[in-house]
Amino acid sequence: MKKSFNKKRSFIIHKKTIYVGNLADNVKYADLLALANQVGSPVWAEVHRGNKGLIGYSTEADAKKAINALNGAQLDGVYIEVSAYTKKSKS
């Protein structure tokens, strides 16, 4: 009998997701969503340790537009870095 393991599956669609770096310490996911709403239709946002975050958009075009529009923007007095999301390789 085969055992079924509950492996956590990622819901991230890479082409529709952007990476946001250099976030201020107090930034929450709602802050990222508000920023993301300025340039498209975000579906979700996450803030991670290390002052990083991710924003998922409904379309690839919105994600590309957001990268161009938001890179270098200010959020809570800090200039953020925005780029296309790429999955980290496991070393």
Side-chain angles (χ1 to χ4, degrees), residues 69-89:
L70 298 178
N71 191 35
Q74 269 193 329
L75 181 61
D76 282 353
V78 176
Y79 291 101
I80 59 172
E81 301 166 3
V82 180
S83 61
Y85 174 73
T86 56
K87 186 176 181 180
K88 276 187 179 177
S89 62

Side-chain angles (χ1 to χ4, degrees), residues 29-60:
Y29 86 94
D31 302 322
L32 278 183
L33 271 179
L35 179 73
N37 266 315
Q38 296 176 14
V39 275
S41 301
V43 178
W44 57 270
E46 296 176 349
V47 175
H48 296 263
R49 285 184 291 174
N51 298 45
K52 303 172 198 167
L54 299 174
I55 301 171
Y57 280 90
S58 59
T59 67
E60 189 177 339

Side-chain angles (χ1 to χ4, degrees), residues 3-45:
K3 285 189 176 182
S4 174
F5 293 97
N6 289 335
K7 188 176 180 182
K8 187 176 179 182
R9 296 197 180 218
S10 176
F11 63 89
I12 295 174
I13 300 171
H14 298 276
K15 291 180 180 181
K16 296 180 183 181
T17 303
I18 64 172
Y19 164 84
V20 185
N22 199 39
L23 294 173
D25 291 331
N26 61 334
V27 170
K28 306 286 184 234
Y29 86 94
D31 302 322
L32 278 183
L33 271 179
L35 179 73
N37 266 315
Q38 296 176 14
V39 275
S41 301
V43 178
W44 57 270

